[in-house]
Amino acid sequence: MTDVIASPNFLDYFQTTNTSPIIGAINSTFSGGAVFGSLMGGFTLDRYGRKRTIQIGALIATVGAILQSAAVNMAMILIGRIVSGWAVGLLSMAVPVYQSECAHPKMRGLIVGLTQQ
């Protein structure tokens, strides 16, 4: 997204500058959405299961990507960033759990980022 929001075409279309506070908002709303996604992750994992949670996260990510790519105003971009962040937060919770469940018992810690002992 950094290359996109720094491009002259983007700045001209949305009538802003690269030093505008809205550029910071575009970057930070993604992280804000990720907070909500990660907080929701435990509930979703327990209620719907690991595989279904990953599918839900992928669907939410698709909606966020569509909102961002089809944006005609800043509000649409900001909402798309929040939705995409929400999906990334949710997937950051679900994918390592699913990977460790699918892995051979001797490889579980290694696959999710820990060293094998």
Side-chain angles (χ1 to χ4, degrees), residues 10-29:
F10 178 88
L11 298 172
D12 289 341
Y13 183 82
F14 291 106
Q15 299 171 351
T16 189
T17 64
N18 59 356
T19 58
S20 172
I22 197 71
I23 300 301
I26 290 170
N27 287 323
S28 63
T29 52

Side-chain angles (χ1 to χ4, degrees), residues 53-110:
T53 299
I54 292 171
Q55 292 170 341
I56 291 168
L59 180 65
I60 294 169
T62 302
V63 170
I66 290 169
L67 284 170
Q68 290 176 78
S69 61
V72 293
N73 56 38
M74 271 306 165
M76 225 171 143
I77 288 177
L78 293 173
I79 292 170
R81 294 290 287 170
I82 292 168
V83 171
S84 292
W86 177 28
V88 166
L90 185 61
L91 290 169
S92 294
M93 294 284 292
V95 170
V97 174
Y98 186 69
Q99 283 178 328
S100 67
E101 288 177 353
C102 291
H104 189 274
K106 291 182 179 179
M107 298 295 291
R108 286 188 179 153
L110 184 64

Side-chain angles (χ1 to χ4, degrees), residues 5 47 91:
I5 62 176
R47 182 163 176 112
L91 290 169

